[in-house]
Amino acid sequence: MEGLKNRLYVVGGILFAFGVTMAALPKPKYDPKTEKWLEQNAPQTVAGFAYQQSSDNPQQSYRMDQLTYDTLTPYGIVARVFSKGSEAYDTVLIAGANGKTFHNPKVCFTGSGFQVQDGHTVLVPTRTQGMVPMSVARLNGKPGEESITAFCYRTPLGFRASTVEIRRDLILSKLLQKPDLHGVFYRFIPRSGVVNEKDLLKFAGEFIDAAHESSKGYF
């Protein structure tokens, strides 16, 4: 019992010291972006794929619902559907500096009536970012509505495949006084008839390369 009490004192001391350190550190000057900036710097084309422009806003294919904006409070969201021939992919970029901006997308899929199954992590090769860890899951909805999704996050410390990791990285980056404290969420869903993980991940890797180049390294 005495040993447990001592360990609790040690843990409490560490947490207190961490809190004091975080409060004492000068806050870095961050560079928050606007949704307009994100639109202007997101890729216009991806390996021969072009995105479908909406009539309301030619910079996007569609707009996320207001509840998503209110819940995540991001810098902005860019939703574009890229197509080439019979292939089409729904892409979403979300950027922000708050851990609350990056929730588990599986929650949204479930709320939309999909069951998330066969979740696993893969490494996707890219030209500009090396091997990028990405989460892949199958989405089962109504009969005939099976699909697949791939998603990942970019943090000041690198690419990550899970929400837990990006939130951890944002806290650690603040402690390390990183000058570029922001995160980016990437989500991909095929819009064409055939669900093919290999093709989806190939496109995802090409999108990450295109986004890195169009944004000069931000995405």
Side-chain angles (χ1 to χ4, degrees), residues 157-176:
L157 303 178
F159 278 86
R160 303 290 185 254
S162 76
T163 312
V164 173
E165 291 175 307
I166 187 173
R167 289 180 173 176
R168 177 203 64 198
D169 279 8
L170 289 176
I171 293 173
L172 185 57
S173 296
K174 188 176 291 187
L175 182 62
L176 295 174

Side-chain angles (χ1 to χ4, degrees), residues 60-77:
Q60 306 229 26
S61 296
Y62 62 91
R63 178 179 169 81
M64 284 287 184
D65 60 88
Q66 190 58 45
L67 179 61
T68 299
Y69 281 88
D70 294 341
T71 302
L72 303 183
T73 61
Y75 289 163
I77 303 174

Side-chain angles (χ1 to χ4, degrees), residues 21-127:
T21 301
M22 290 291 289
L25 288 174
K27 294 184 178 180
K29 295 180 179 178
Y30 302 128
D31 181 23
K33 304 300 183 184
T34 64
E35 185 165 278
K36 183 176 181 180
W37 187 95
L38 298 175
E39 291 174 340
Q40 292 172 341
N41 288 274
Q44 302 282 329
T45 60
V46 177
F49 287 78
Y51 78 92
Q52 304 164 10
Q53 299 180 345
S54 74
S55 56
D56 294 331
N57 178 6
Q59 290 290 337
Q60 306 229 26
S61 296
Y62 62 91
R63 178 179 169 81
M64 284 287 184
D65 60 88
Q66 190 58 45
L67 179 61
T68 299
Y69 281 88
D70 294 341
T71 302
L72 303 183
T73 61
Y75 289 163
I77 303 174
V78 181
R80 291 177 177 172
V81 178
F82 288 84
S83 60
K84 180 176 69 173
S86 61
E87 283 187 83
Y89 298 98
D90 186 326
T91 71
V92 170
L93 285 170
I94 302 177
N98 191 324
K100 294 180 180 178
T101 300
F102 305 102
H103 70 303
N104 190 333
K106 294 180 182 179
V107 175
C108 286
F109 293 135
T110 302
S112 299
F114 286 100
Q115 291 182 338
V116 182
Q117 299 179 341
D118 186 30
H120 58 281
T121 301
V122 297
L123 291 175
V124 177
T126 67
R127 289 185 293 101

Side-chain angles (χ1 to χ4, degrees), residues 194-208:
V194 179
V195 177
N196 185 312
E197 180 176 326
K198 181 180 178 181
D199 290 343
L200 175 63
L201 294 179
K202 180 176 181 293
F203 175 83
E206 292 170 338
F207 181 94
I208 287 173

Side-chain angles (χ1 to χ4, degrees), residues 5-17:
K5 198 177 289 186
N6 290 336
R7 285 194 293 273
L8 289 175
Y9 285 141
V10 171
V11 172
I14 292 173
L15 292 175
F16 177 77

